[in-house]
Structure formats: structure tokens, C-alpha cells
Amino acid sequence: MAENGVDGERAQQRAGTRDKQNGNVTDSSPRERRQQDREERLSLVLWKRPVQTLQYSFLETLITLKEWTLKLWNRRRIVFLLSVLLSILPMAYSVEGAHQTYIQYIEKKFLWCAYWVGLGILSSVGLGTGLHTFLLYLGPHIASVTLAAYECGSVNFPEPPYPDQIVCPSEAAQGAVTLWTIMSKVRLEACMWGAGTAIGELPPYFMARAARLSGAEPDDEDYEEFEEMLGQAETAQDFVTRAKLAVQNMVQRVGFFGILGCASIPNPLFDLAGITCGHFLVPFWTFFGATLIGKAIIKMHIQKLFVIITFSKHIVEQMVSLLGAIPGFGPSLQKPFQEYLEAQRLKLHHRAGEGTPAGENWLSWVFEKVVLIMVCYFIISIINSMAQSYAKRIQKKSCDEKTK
């Protein structure tokens, strides 16, 4: 009898263990299914499945265009008013008068500002991998202005050709070139680029805010990761998760100044700040105001100061001389940099009608190709991202049909 009782207890324990195991499998299966779906989507890239990736990307583009068209149709009154206002511009262009000077000035400044704002948006909006426009465009522009200022002894570059091409002014320079004068010369484009990066941070904020207000599940993996991170706040062990939690706690507790602090320094986790502010319903102007001040003013001046100091005349000359001091291949490595700097100096003093300036060496050719490769990779990453978004639509539709 005792043996039968022990056997019965063991049988119950085994049955209970199986029930727990089955329960665990049932509870964890949605998470495992989501992980499998995510891995399957991430494998949908051009270099693995090119035909399917292009097809899905094209279909996702059509769906996105349809959604945007419907949104514009729902706001057709605003679209009509904007169309009427824009139709006045050709009239202003065609009518002769003293106002043409002001129109040309406004057009030039508007296009110049729009160019840098657009590059800033591309840098942070989250399309594909993001285009590092500071390294590719703004940083080299500030560096070229810095080198030209020290060579010309002035920042009064004639317009045109500036900003398309920098040519030293023909008149003698008055006063010494200082750090402040160079910063003032590039302040407009730098601040516009920073404002563009602030605008690019708005989509995560609006997505998280809409999800919190509606109570619906957002179709965004970053937000899903954010909610999982909040659920694991007590047991977080790895450095990345703890860093994300630190950003989230700082933004949530300190508010405006916490957002300002996160936006004022190079911070790869700032997307999390936008999701956090949207999730906890931080007012729009508190989030965007702090982000705009941090990115367009504070952070932009820090980055601008770093580039100007790095490319000041004496620093560049010291770096080139240090290259020549490298044992072995130092002189051969130093020579192309010296040739490049000399070619840049000749271009700065080149005038129209004075013949062709010296040709550029392989350094400028390499930089152009690096820019081209990065832009191409950015476009490829957008195609992959669009294809993965369409694959997620299919998976979600399939999951909804199974639950019905």
C-alpha cells in the first residue's frame, strides 16, 4: 500500500511537471513565434533573395503611397489652400519689378536651408540604416571653410560661387581669422542640419503617443522592444539594456532638461527618448523644444567647434608632418596629403578665365567613391526595410486569420 501511495504521488508529480512544461510552452510560444517571424523577415535582403525583396519593396511602396494619398484626401482643404498659395509664386517670378531682388535672395536662402534640413532629416528619420550626412556633407563643408579661411585670411568668400565653390576674395583681408568668425560663417547650415535631425526624431514620438492613447498594438519593432524592456527593468543585466533604461529613467524623471541633456550630446539611444516621451504622453512642445535646442544649438556648436579646431591650419600641418615621421612608409603616405592640400590652395586662388586649376589627387577620388558607396548602401537598406515591412504585413494577416 505504501509503495502504491508513493507511486501515485510520483505519477501526480510527473503529470504536474508535464502540465507546467506544457503551460510554459503555451505561454512562451507567442514570443517564440514573433522571434521566428522576425528572423524570417531579417533574412529578406537583396543579397539573399533579390527577386522577392524587390517585389515586396515595390508592393510596400504602393501601399505607402496609397495611405499617404488617403491622408492628403482627408485633409484636402489644407492641400487646396497650399496649392493656391504656391500658385502665386510663378506670378511673382514673372512680374518684373524691384521685388525680384528680394525674391531671388529669399529663394537662394530657402533652398540652401531646405538642403541642410533635408540632410538632417535623412540622418535621423530612420529610413533604412540612416544616412550619416554629418560625416558625408556637413563635416567636410565646415572643414573646407576652415581651411579656406586660414588660407585666404578672410571668410568673405564672393557669392557666387560660394557656397558651391570657395574662392578667396580679391580684396585684402581686414582683421585676423578667429574661431568665432569661422563658426559664424557656417552657423546657418549647421543649425539647419541640427533642426533637420530634431524633425527626424518626431516619428518615434508620434508613433508611441498614438499607441498609448488608442491602446492599440503599434506595428513597430522598436516600440515592442521598448515595452519588453520596461517589463524586464528589474532583471536587466547587459550593458545595452541598462543604458537604455538609464536614458528612459532620465527622460521620464527630469523631463525637459533630461531630454535636453540627451539631445545635446552624440547619443545613439536618443530614439528611445522619443519613444519614452510619446509613451508617457510628454507634451509635444516639451519634447520637440528640448530636442530642437539640444540638437540645433548645443550639440551643433560642439560638433562644429570640434571640426574647426581639428582642421585649423597649424593642426593640419602638424598632422601631415607626423605622417612623415612614421617609420617605413611615412613619406609615401605623407606625399598624397601634401599634394591634396596644395591642390586645394591653388583652387582657392583660382579665378575664372585663368586656366584650369591643378587636378585633384586620389584622396578626393577615394572620398567621392566612399560617399557614393554609402549612399548606395543607404538606398539598399531602404529597399530591404520596405520589403521587410511588407513581409510583416503578410505575417500579421496570417496570424489574424488563424486566431479567427
Side-chain angles (χ1 to χ4, degrees):
M1 294 290 292
E3 292 178 355
N4 292 336
V6 170
D7 292 340
E9 289 178 0
R10 290 176 178 172
Q12 290 177 357
Q13 289 175 357
R14 286 195 296 270
T17 303
R18 283 196 300 270
D19 291 339
K20 290 180 181 179
Q21 291 175 347
N22 291 334
N24 289 337
V25 170
T26 303
D27 294 339
S28 63
S29 59
R31 180 179 296 178
E32 292 176 355
R33 194 183 308 115
R34 285 198 301 269
Q35 183 64 27
Q36 291 174 356
D37 290 343
R38 184 178 182 183
E39 291 175 356
E40 183 180 350
R41 289 197 304 272
L42 292 177
S43 66
L44 188 63
V45 289
L46 277 173
W47 49 89
K48 289 184 179 179
R49 291 186 276 175
V51 176
Q52 188 178 12
T53 302
L54 289 172
Q55 179 187 2
Y56 279 18
S57 177
F58 177 73
L59 294 173
E60 179 67 17
T61 302
L62 292 179
I63 293 173
T64 304
L65 290 175
K66 180 182 177 182
E67 291 174 351
W68 287 356
T69 304
L70 290 175
K71 288 179 180 179
L72 290 175
W73 176 253
N74 293 333
R75 296 169 176 81
R76 52 188 176 273
R77 292 183 179 179
I78 299 175
V79 174
F80 176 75
L81 290 175
L82 289 175
S83 302
V84 172
L85 290 175
L86 291 175
S87 65
I88 298 174
L89 293 178
M91 297 174 59
Y93 271 106
S94 60
V95 177
E96 296 292 337
H99 66 282
Q100 288 292 335
T101 304
Y102 301 102
I103 288 178
Q104 291 174 4
Y105 176 80
I106 293 171
E107 178 190 16
K108 182 179 179 180
K109 289 296 181 184
F110 175 78
L111 293 176
W112 182 239
C113 293
Y115 172 75
W116 290 110
V117 170
L119 288 177
I121 293 173
L122 286 176
S123 181
S124 63
V125 75
L127 287 173
T129 58
L131 187 63
H132 304 289
T133 52
F134 182 85
L135 295 176
L136 297 178
Y137 297 99
L138 183 59
H141 172 70
I142 297 174
S144 63
V145 171
T146 303
L147 293 171
Y150 283 108
E151 175 64 23
C152 302
S154 171
V155 292
N156 298 321
F157 310 128
E159 299 185 36
Y162 181 81
D164 299 321
Q165 180 186 354
I166 299 176
V167 177
C168 290
S170 56
E171 66 272 9
Q174 296 180 354
V177 174
T178 63
L179 189 66
W180 180 254
T181 56
I182 300 174
M183 291 179 68
S184 300
K185 184 67 175 178
V186 296
R187 180 176 290 120
L188 177 63
E189 45 266 46
C191 289
M192 289 299 103
W193 184 88
T197 61
I199 295 171
E201 301 292 352
L202 292 179
Y205 169 83
F206 285 125
M207 176 271 302
R209 183 180 178 86
R212 182 67 184 272
L213 291 174
S214 64
E217 287 291 331
D219 189 21
D220 187 86
E221 292 181 357
D222 290 336
Y223 189 76
E224 293 174 1
E225 182 182 350
F226 170 75
E227 289 190 324
E228 290 181 4
M229 185 190 69
L230 291 181
Q232 299 172 358
E234 300 293 333
T235 59
Q237 297 293 332
D238 60 295
F239 174 77
V240 175
T241 304
R242 284 182 294 177
K244 291 180 178 180
L245 286 170
V247 172
Q248 182 257 324
N249 290 330
M250 182 179 178
V251 170
Q252 184 182 357
R253 294 177 182 178
V254 186
F256 179 90
F257 292 101
I259 303 168
L260 182 66
C262 291
S264 300
I265 58 174
N267 186 1
L269 302 177
F270 190 79
D271 281 349
L272 187 64
I275 295 175
T276 301
C277 291
H279 180 79
F280 292 105
L281 304 180
V282 173
F284 170 77
W285 286 112
T286 300
F287 169 72
F288 185 66
T291 304
L292 185 64
I293 294 171
K295 286 184 172 291
I297 299 176
I298 300 175
K299 179 185 174 184
M300 202 59 257
H301 277 78
I302 294 172
Q303 291 177 302
K304 185 167 55 173
L305 187 65
F306 173 78
V307 174
I308 293 173
I309 292 174
T310 303
F311 286 90
S312 59
K313 186 176 181 179
H314 63 284
I315 296 291
V316 171
E317 290 176 350
Q318 288 178 3
M319 288 192 294
V320 173
S321 62
L322 287 174
L323 285 176
I326 298 176
F329 58 90
S332 59
L333 185 63
Q334 183 189 43
K335 185 178 179 181
F337 283 93
Q338 290 176 333
E339 292 176 351
Y340 175 77
L341 292 174
E342 183 62 27
Q344 294 301 112
R345 291 191 184 99
L346 292 174
K347 285 178 63 179
L348 290 173
H349 296 284
H350 177 70
R351 297 284 186 276
E354 292 183 356
T356 306
E360 296 182 353
N361 67 347
W362 62 269
L363 280 177
S364 57
W365 182 87
V366 169
F367 181 75
E368 290 176 358
K369 297 303 177 283
V370 168
V371 172
L372 181 62
I373 290 171
M374 292 187 71
V375 171
C376 291
Y377 181 72
F378 174 64
I379 295 172
I380 290 172
S381 67
I382 292 177
I383 295 173
N384 292 337
S385 178
M386 298 290 284
Q388 291 165 10
S389 297
Y390 187 77
K392 189 171 184 178
R393 291 179 187 271
I394 296 176
Q395 291 171 349
K396 186 177 180 180
K397 183 178 179 181
S398 176
C399 183
D400 292 341
E401 289 176 352
K402 289 179 180 179
T403 53
K404 289 182 180 179

